[in-house]
Amino acid sequence: ERDSGLGRRSGDKASVSSVAPLALQEIRPPMTSNSYESRSSHGKAQHEGRVAKVPSDLAPLAGAIPLDGKEGRRLEAAMGPQGGIALATWCSAWEAQIRQSWCAPASAMAALHFLGRGGRWTQQRIYSEVLLPHGLMTKGVSLSDGRRMMEILGTRELKVEERCSSEEATLEHVLLADLRAAFGDTPGLRTGNPAVQDSEAPVGPRCLLANYWRPSGGHWSPIAGWAEGHVLILDTNNLRAPPHWVPLPAFLYALCRHNEVTGRPRGYLLLTPSTSA
């Protein structure tokens, strides 16, 4: 399973061989309409006021909406206080992938920063001290290997749960509950399930890392928002796909897409602080 927006995962036929590898100095942090500080491989930088566009050659997911555009800003404003705080935290925690196939280590670093557990880790150390020695990265990092990666990084301080189903309706029920818990209520949450709509959100941060399909292949990225039936993806390869909202049906399709290498659907990880830590 190839985990790069710059390359190709085995089992996904889309080729992006025409895309040159990114130099480190080319990586920029994500841009948001509220000028949140964002973390990149070179530290933090301020929003530059440019309009981020979802490249037509990539078309990450059907109906993608750039965060740094009129509709993207409207969706951001539609989030409640809990969602706004989570997005601000994500924009400070986010990192761009610094190598061609390192979207998984970049997503892991963003999650660790988001949960206040970055410590000594870097993308390089995750690759050399976790992924390689434990055999978790061959042609890429699968969902189950990503879960193991986060278990190792979190030691006993993180609870790591894998969400995976080939049935979109089944995964939707679980995903909606996780989105509501992570980002709060939004006008777009209409599940028809009182258990999802009326239950109290759990205390403490909740981190969602998606392992999903897109036209260029499989990919890892953090989920940073939820509003009006749209999920916000902070793509680790932001030069190809700046932060963007995607409709829930398109996101579910990408999560449930069959991975020919692993023989399973893709999915996402839910990370929460461990109560036993």
Side-chain angles (χ1 to χ4, degrees):
E1 189 179 36
R2 187 74 172 173
D3 70 332
S4 170
L6 304 177
R8 180 175 63 86
R9 281 188 178 174
S10 176
D12 287 321
K13 299 180 180 179
S15 172
V16 289
S17 57
S18 60
V19 179
L22 296 180
L24 294 184
Q25 63 267 24
E26 292 178 313
I27 296 175
R28 298 290 186 271
M31 298 176 291
T32 74
S33 59
N34 289 334
S35 298
Y36 297 130
E37 282 192 326
S38 304
R39 184 189 302 269
S40 73
S41 59
H42 299 291
K44 296 183 178 180
Q46 293 288 340
H47 168 48
E48 300 177 12
R50 297 173 294 176
V51 176
K53 297 181 179 180
V54 176
S56 58
D57 66 328
L58 178 62
L61 294 169
I65 300 170
L67 171 61
D68 202 16
K70 183 177 180 180
E71 180 62 10
R73 291 193 296 267
R74 189 192 69 76
L75 288 170
E76 179 185 349
M79 290 196 298
Q82 181 181 342
I85 292 171
L87 176 56
T89 305
W90 270 119
C91 287
S92 295
W94 179 90
E95 287 191 9
Q97 61 190 71
I98 63 172
R99 293 290 186 272
Q100 188 170 353
S101 59
W102 284 14
C103 57
S107 296
M109 281 306 307
L112 292 175
H113 288 308
F114 181 84
L115 296 168
R117 290 167 168 79
R120 70 183 185 90
W121 291 108
T122 65
Q123 292 182 44
Q124 179 64 57
R125 297 191 79 156
I126 291 174
Y127 176 76
S128 60
E129 298 179 23
V130 177
L131 294 178
L132 286 185
H134 292 273
L136 302 179
M137 187 171 187
T138 52
K139 294 181 179 179
V141 179
S142 67
L143 179 64
S144 59
D145 286 343
R147 173 181 53 78
R148 180 60 182 146
M149 170 185 70
M150 294 310 306
E151 288 173 343
I152 295 170
L153 292 172
T155 58
R156 296 182 180 179
E157 296 180 348
L158 292 182
K159 180 180 180 182
V160 183
E161 300 177 69
E162 184 180 304
R163 310 294 208 213
C164 178
S165 176
S166 60
E167 298 294 331
E168 294 178 29
T170 300
L171 191 62
E172 179 181 14
H173 175 79
V174 179
L175 176 60
L176 284 172
D178 288 337
L179 289 170
R180 181 178 185 271
F183 304 108
D185 290 312
T186 77
L189 183 60
R190 297 291 184 268
T191 67
N193 187 330
V196 174
Q197 291 183 349
D198 299 330
S199 62
E200 293 184 3
V203 177
R206 298 174 73 82
C207 171
L208 280 67
L209 297 183
N211 174 233
Y212 62 105
W213 174 90
R214 60 184 189 176
S216 60
H219 196 49
W220 283 91
S221 283
I223 302 307
W226 163 244
E228 298 184 3
H230 288 75
V231 174
L232 177 60
I233 299 176
L234 288 190
D235 201 305
T236 59
N237 181 9
N238 67 312
L239 289 186
R240 286 291 306 279
H244 53 281
W245 298 90
V246 295
L248 184 62
F251 186 56
L252 284 166
Y253 174 80
L255 290 176
C256 295
R257 179 87 174 227
H258 181 73
N259 183 339
E260 295 179 6
V261 175
T262 64
R264 305 176 65 215
R266 292 180 168 85
Y268 67 98
L269 300 178
L270 174 66
L271 312 176
T272 54
S274 175
T275 55
S276 60

